[in-house]
Amino acid sequence: MDRVSINAYAKINTVLDIKGVYPNGYHILDMIMLSINLCDRLTLTKISEDKIKLRTGDADLAADSSNLVYRAIDIIRKKFNIKEGVSAEVDKKIPMSAGLAGGSADCAGALRGMLKLFDIDMEEKELYETGKSLGADVPFCLYKKPARARGIGEILTPLPDFPPCTLLLAKPVEGVPTPEAFREYDSLKNVVHPNIEKAIEYMNNGDLEGICGSMGNVLEYASIIKHPVVGELKAEMIKTGAVGALMSGSGSSVFGVYKTKKAAEEAYPLIKEKFNLTEIFITEILPGSFFE
């Protein structure tokens, strides 16, 4: 095989809580993470030169050794002593600085793509450890099923599929860098923490309204202080019929959960125009069986 193409799927969080801080400064997380059908497309091709070539198609996205796709290719080449070079192209659709794990999804796609391209048999545990060394969200992006993610995001427990619904996902013009979101959170007092156990109970029962009522993201409070558009987007999604709305991850993207695709489609032009958005998507949560 000389070429492979892989879809790299974005994620959302319906719950993101912080339980404390590790001695090394990393925050202790407790999250519900779900894959959605918004994705980047990665194409990896063998080349004769002993090097990695990367094209991202986006001037704002580095195409050098700082890019997670480059690093994923490099780590597999070194681990398995691969002498052939690789050309990688990323067709970017997932918004950046949006809390959707676009970079981690691309990294996971590159890892799996390399194994397929060079016909490498690698145990899942070793693959997850390799992904963890590259980024906290990479193990979930490799996992490819609904999960509770703890620790820094690498301790994964499977969850039932989300009830049927449609998402309206909107990314404001201004992004929220992840370090900024956590710094702002650390400065807050009296944060209301979500009840993740209750949220999981609602998932087990397939109760969409219960799930939406239990959604929560402690980073959202911090982000709204500097980026009030996050709160405004949430309010508008609820106004246009969403059962619930939340900022995903460290932001700044916001998703609204609509009971039907028609309801999301009716809200789409209203929200797009009101907030002058260029990155707004109608999307769905992927079941675990999608990846089997």
Side-chain angles (χ1 to χ4, degrees), residues 4-291:
V4 298
S5 291
I6 300 269
N7 286 338
Y9 293 94
K11 65 83 184 167
I12 59 167
N13 306 85
T14 54
V15 174
L16 191 160
D17 197 10
I18 294 176
K19 301 292 190 179
V21 181
Y22 287 114
N24 63 6
Y26 283 98
H27 291 78
I28 304 169
L29 304 174
D30 197 358
M31 305 178 286
I32 293 176
M33 300 179 76
L34 306 160
S35 296
I36 60 174
N37 66 357
L38 175 64
C39 64
D40 294 339
R41 183 76 170 170
L42 273 70
T43 301
L44 306 182
T45 306
K46 292 179 181 177
I47 57 176
S48 57
E49 303 164 83
D50 183 13
K51 64 191 301 184
I52 299 170
K53 294 181 178 179
L54 177 59
R55 289 182 293 172
T56 63
D58 190 321
D60 295 327
L61 186 60
D64 54 27
S65 59
S66 66
N67 188 293
L68 282 173
V69 170
Y70 187 108
R71 292 172 60 195
I73 294 169
D74 186 50
I75 203 169
I76 296 296
R77 288 182 78 223
K78 289 175 178 175
K79 186 182 287 283
F80 294 96
N81 196 29
I82 296 169
K83 298 303 181 185
E84 288 178 274
V86 176
S87 173
E89 185 169 352
V90 182
D91 182 11
K92 197 76 183 156
K93 294 291 189 296
I94 303 171
M96 295 188 290
S97 297
L100 300 172
S104 295
D106 293 346
C107 180
L111 289 172
R112 288 206 181 274
M114 285 293 289
L115 300 187
K116 188 175 180 181
L117 185 65
F118 291 97
D119 194 23
I120 298 168
D121 186 15
M122 188 177 187
E123 290 188 1
E124 289 292 301
K125 184 177 180 181
E126 184 181 1
L127 179 60
Y128 291 151
E129 286 300 315
T130 303
K132 177 185 169 184
S133 72
L134 293 165
D137 285 336
V138 178
F140 171 77
C141 295
L142 289 165
Y143 197 62
K144 299 190 297 188
K145 65 185 71 171
R148 182 178 187 172
R150 285 174 278 191
I152 61 170
E154 86 287 9
I155 304 169
L156 301 170
T157 306
L159 291 176
D161 288 336
F162 211 79
C165 63
T166 298
L167 303 183
L168 184 57
L169 177 69
K171 160 71 180 351
V173 174
E174 53 194 70
V176 178
T178 299
E180 175 192 304
F182 280 97
R183 281 197 305 270
E184 288 296 321
Y185 169 82
D186 288 337
S187 69
L188 296 179
K189 296 179 180 178
N190 302 319
V191 174
V192 178
H193 293 268
N195 186 338
I196 193 167
E197 302 296 344
K198 197 69 177 175
I200 291 172
E201 180 183 329
Y202 286 127
M203 286 185 72
N204 285 326
N205 295 332
D207 183 345
L208 182 63
E209 292 191 1
I211 292 169
C212 290
S214 62
M215 293 194 307
N217 181 348
V218 296
L219 294 179
E220 185 181 81
Y221 304 108
S223 294
I224 287 175
I225 293 171
K226 285 196 171 183
H227 307 278
V229 67
V230 169
E232 293 163 7
L233 268 170
K234 281 187 62 181
E236 192 65 23
M237 287 178 177
I238 298 296
K239 182 180 176 182
T240 57
V243 187
L246 192 71
M247 185 184 83
S248 183
S250 58
S252 62
S253 68
V254 175
F255 63 89
V257 181
Y258 294 79
K259 288 186 176 180
T260 66
K261 186 175 182 180
K262 181 181 179 182
E265 288 174 339
E266 289 174 348
Y268 177 97
L270 302 175
I271 291 174
K272 185 178 190 296
E273 182 178 353
K274 180 168 183 176
F275 292 92
N276 194 27
L277 299 172
T278 57
E279 294 180 297
I280 180 169
F281 311 89
I282 293 174
T283 184
E284 295 179 350
I285 296 169
L286 296 173
S289 59
F290 178 85
F291 298 102

